[in-house]
């Protein structure tokens, strides 16, 4: 049979990393990325890009741990290479602080990040409103550089990029054998997934180059994440809100909360305010399906619904999606050899 044609729908961190894993695993396939929006206009471009996982209730912890470990290991190698600055990947140390000791003192990812430990009393003096804290070193992806770096690698492998809104995955049937759905929150409309909902997040990107350590309140709402060219201040988590317009009173509130954690931010210069919709569901949808219509078949792999953890998990889920694409290729080869008999 001819080399299978694979379309990846979506050019956020999930779509691009999935396309890379598919192109690497199956070099004989022709791979294309189709997306309504590319960097710098995706949800992934709004994210802080920190590797600190959020627990998804519908996915077993050992699976989430495996996805995080694969992502951390992959990005750690990039951070330790000549590619680090172009890819926007760097190590960052800091603190996660709590107003009271959390029920779970050792999160599942504590042995994957580097040097995880309980903060000392002396360190906690920096945070007079907090009683307990964890110090560790993790990785951060700066966006859009990381997305642009992935796009460049994909183009070098011959992967085509098309700006295109897909109304229905069936419309790709005549051009592609396999379609990988990495549409993020767009999957709500694209495949009518009612379990997928937005969790709106508003962040500020400020100029404060003296802030070198990350600070995250354990409630997950307030955070300060220094990147290469700006510091991300957050945030909000508004379930079921589809609004992409920044709210000025929220901007003020975020800035105030961040200044109370890191008073030196009073001198920061505001650069921009951004809003993104986290594609949330109880678990990431990583699934293979066969769609049939009037005797025609379309092989579909879903990889979306990463919620607050798209950066933390992307490489692990991309590898799993590529494995599912491999199963589709095997099914295609099987049906083509049976047709010849
Ligand atoms: P997206 O980036 O939204 O990409 C979806 C792609 O699909 C886009 O290219 C879009 O144009 C395309 N698409 C959609 N529908 C269609 C269609 N019908 N036809 C064609 N193309 C279509 N995660 C972390 O791990 N760490 C963090 O620190 C972090 N911080 C965050 C802060 C904020 C404020 C927000 C909002 C999110 C944050 N996240 C973080 C979560 C992270 O941003 C998401 O999990 C991740 O970006 C999801 O990536 P994605 O590729 O699935 O979706």
């Amino acid at each position: 049979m001819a080399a299978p044609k694979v379309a990846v729908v979506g050019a956020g961190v999930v779509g691009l990393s999935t396309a890379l894993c598919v192109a690497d695993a199956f070099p004989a396939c022709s791979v294309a990325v189709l997306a309504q929006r590319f960097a710098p206009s995706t949800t992934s471009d709004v994210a802080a890009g920190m590797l600190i996982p959020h627990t998804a209730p519908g996915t077993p912890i050992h699976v989430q741990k495996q996805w995080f470990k694969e992502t951390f290991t992959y990005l750690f190698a990039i951070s330790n290479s000549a590619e680090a600055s172009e890819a926007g990947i760097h190590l960052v140390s800091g603190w996660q602080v709590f107003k009271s000791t959390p029920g779970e003192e050792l999160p599942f990812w504590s042995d994957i990040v580097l040097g995880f430990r309980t903060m000392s009393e002396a360190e906690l003096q920096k945070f007079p409103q907090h009683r307990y804290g964890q110090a560790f070193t993790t990785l951060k992806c700066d966006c859009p550089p990381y997305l642009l770096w992935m796009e460049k690698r994909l183009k070098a492998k011959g992967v085509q990029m098309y700006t295109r809104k897909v109304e229905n995955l069936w419309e790709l049937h005549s051009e592609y054998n396999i379609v990988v759905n990495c549409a993020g929150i767009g999957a709500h409309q694209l495949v009518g997934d009612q379990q997928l909902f937005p969790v709106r997040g508003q962040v500020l990107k400020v100029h404060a180059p003296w802030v070198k350590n990350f600070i995250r309140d354990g409630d997950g709402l307030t955070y300060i994440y220094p990147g290469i060219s700006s510091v991300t201040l957050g945030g909000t988590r508004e379930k079921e809100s589809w609004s992409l317009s920044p709210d000025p009173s929220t901007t003020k509130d975020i800035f105030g909360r961040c200044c109370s954690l890191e008073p030196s931010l009073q001198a920061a210069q505001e650069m921009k305010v951004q809003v993104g919709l986290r594609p949330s569901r109880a678990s990431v949808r990583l699934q293979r399906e066969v769609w049939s219509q009037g005797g025609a078949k379309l092989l579909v792999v879903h990889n979306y619904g990463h919620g607050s953890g798209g950066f933390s998990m992307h490489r692990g889920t991309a590898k799993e999606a590529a494995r599912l694409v491999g199963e589709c290729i095997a099914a295609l080869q099987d049906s083509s050899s049976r047709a010849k008999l």
Side-chain angles (χ1 to χ4, degrees):
M1 65 173 277
K5 289 182 157 187
V6 182
V8 176
V9 178
V13 67
V14 173
L16 296 180
S17 57
T18 300
L20 265 179
C21 286
V22 171
D24 282 342
F26 309 106
C29 285
S30 135
V31 182
V33 175
L34 282 54
Q36 190 178 359
R37 292 196 186 84
F38 283 82
S41 307
T42 70
T43 306
S44 302
D45 291 284
V46 175
M50 283 290 283
L51 266 72
I52 302 180
H54 289 247
T55 309
T59 305
I61 289 294
H62 73 273
V63 174
Q64 297 184 55
K65 186 165 180 174
Q66 180 64 22
W67 291 342
F68 181 56
K69 191 173 182 175
E70 282 172 353
T71 308
F72 195 94
T73 305
Y74 174 73
L75 293 177
F76 185 62
I78 298 174
S79 78
N80 211 18
S81 77
E83 299 281 304
S85 121
E86 190 187 344
I89 310 294
H90 62 98
L91 286 164
V92 58
S93 300
W95 306 283
Q96 170 158 253
V97 289
F98 297 82
K99 295 206 169 75
S100 57
T101 309
E104 183 194 49
E105 286 190 30
L106 273 187
F108 74 82
W109 42 265
S110 60
D111 58 349
I112 296 172
V113 297
L114 309 178
F116 185 96
R117 62 179 173 80
T118 302
M119 283 168 72
S120 67
E121 284 302 319
E123 284 173 302
L124 275 169
Q125 281 178 19
K126 179 168 169 56
F127 306 101
Q129 293 163 16
H130 295 77
R131 287 169 179 267
Y132 177 86
Q134 299 156 339
F136 54 95
T137 299
T138 188
L139 288 151
K140 183 177 179 315
C141 310
D142 265 28
C143 266
Y146 182 48
L147 298 189
L148 294 173
W149 178 81
M150 283 198 282
E151 281 182 27
K152 187 172 158 189
R153 284 177 65 98
L154 286 166
K155 284 176 192 158
K157 288 175 194 291
V159 172
Q160 302 290 318
M161 310 274 174
Y162 300 105
T163 302
R164 166 171 171 183
K165 179 168 184 189
V166 179
E167 301 295 342
N168 184 319
L169 296 182
W170 264 113
E171 78 191 43
L172 304 175
H173 162 255
S174 56
E175 297 163 78
Y176 300 95
N177 308 101
I178 302 164
V179 174
V180 191
N181 170 15
C182 303
I185 196 63
H188 189 267
Q189 198 185 1
L190 186 60
V191 292
D193 185 343
Q194 298 303 315
Q195 293 176 45
L196 183 69
F197 58 91
V199 176
R200 180 183 181 277
Q202 183 167 322
V203 287
L204 283 63
K205 306 260 164 122
V206 301
H207 184 68
W210 60 89
V211 176
K212 304 288 186 201
N213 291 74
F214 76 81
I215 304 169
R216 180 180 196 271
D217 194 304
D219 66 12
L221 208 57
T222 307
Y223 49 82
I224 299 160
Y225 292 147
I228 294 169
S229 55
S230 66
V231 182
T232 304
L233 308 185
T236 62
R237 290 181 196 281
E238 295 153 75
K239 226 173 152 177
E240 299 286 1
S241 169
W242 290 89
S243 167
L244 282 169
S245 308
D247 173 40
S249 67
T250 305
T251 301
K252 223 173 137 191
D253 178 54
I254 293 171
F255 190 68
R257 280 189 272 131
C258 289
C259 286
S260 85
L261 271 180
E262 176 53 68
S264 74
L265 282 169
Q266 303 276 3
Q269 286 164 352
E270 186 179 314
M271 293 163 73
K272 59 183 166 192
V273 182
Q274 289 180 302
V275 174
L277 305 179
R278 301 175 179 91
S280 304
R281 70 201 295 287
S283 59
V284 174
R285 187 173 183 199
L286 254 172
Q287 188 186 10
R288 179 165 80 88
E289 286 185 326
V290 182
W291 288 16
S292 306
Q293 193 172 285
K297 279 192 168 49
L298 179 67
L299 301 177
V300 176
V301 172
H302 300 283
N303 183 14
Y304 67 83
H306 294 67
S308 303
F311 281 85
S312 307
M313 305 288 183
H314 70 278
R315 182 72 187 183
T317 56
K319 280 177 76 174
E320 175 60 12
R323 194 187 65 74
L324 296 174
V325 168
E327 288 183 4
C328 294
I329 295 170
L332 281 173
Q333 285 164 343
D334 191 40
S335 63
S336 134
S337 48
R338 266 189 284 123
K340 283 187 199 140
L341 293 177

